[in-house]
Amino acid sequence: MKEVAAMCLVTDPRIDGGPIDDDNYGFTVTYTAQFDPGEIGIQFHEYIFLRENDQGAPFGGGNDNLTSPEEKIFTATSQSMNRQRDIAIPRDVADTESGHEEIYAEISLRSEMNLDPAVGPDCRNHSSAGDFNP
């Protein structure tokens, strides 16, 4: 395997969503992964968490984790790659409180050179919270 210093970036993260059917709600997460030339050809492990923002009144607590991340592995083939993930969850999971939900996506990339969970991801970013009504 190649020795490489991780310099990836997750830019322009976005989340969109809507009903799939009576029981499920779908989200599409898009972002651009940017890599240094030395990272081309390296595999990256992608993790996307969906979370519900509970920072304001009346809820004021921590954010709700709506999903556990499903790992996807891809190879960096160019310095800039547009990425998209579609995630479906049951409506009752997405609907954490009365009214609309403020849901955002957190994206983490970890190179094949950095698979130790204690070290943390090579790069991470999150989308703005979208206003959804599951």
Side-chain angles (χ1 to χ4, degrees):
M1 286 195 273
K2 296 179 185 179
E3 291 284 331
V4 63
M7 299 301 292
C8 65
L9 293 172
V10 172
T11 62
D12 303 318
R14 181 175 168 84
I15 186 169
D16 293 301
I20 296 173
D21 55 35
D22 288 342
D23 297 322
N24 297 292
Y25 207 81
F27 296 93
T28 299
V29 177
T30 57
Y31 69 95
T32 300
Q34 296 180 343
F35 304 100
D36 278 350
E39 294 175 308
I40 306 303
I42 299 222
Q43 286 190 333
F44 281 81
H45 297 240
E46 172 189 72
Y47 304 91
I48 296 179
F49 301 81
L50 295 185
R51 297 197 168 139
E52 201 270 331
N53 185 348
D54 273 342
Q55 296 302 315
F59 305 103
N63 295 343
D64 295 325
N65 293 319
L66 302 181
T67 62
S68 296
E70 180 182 332
E71 178 185 54
K72 297 284 184 181
I73 299 173
F74 70 94
T75 300
T77 57
S78 66
Q79 284 187 261
S80 183
M81 296 177 63
N82 293 324
R83 302 281 301 157
Q84 176 177 316
R85 289 273 296 277
D86 295 314
I87 302 169
I89 60 176
R91 278 183 186 255
D92 62 338
V93 171
D95 192 10
T96 65
E97 59 205 31
S98 63
H100 289 218
E101 310 297 333
E102 298 77 33
I103 297 173
Y104 67 97
E106 182 177 293
I107 302 138
S108 296
L109 299 180
R110 186 182 291 278
S111 76
E112 65 185 359
M113 310 307 294
N114 174 24
L115 298 180
D116 181 355
V119 174
D122 294 310
C123 52
R124 176 186 304 174
N125 202 348
H126 60 83
S127 68
S128 296
D131 182 19
F132 301 101
N133 190 17

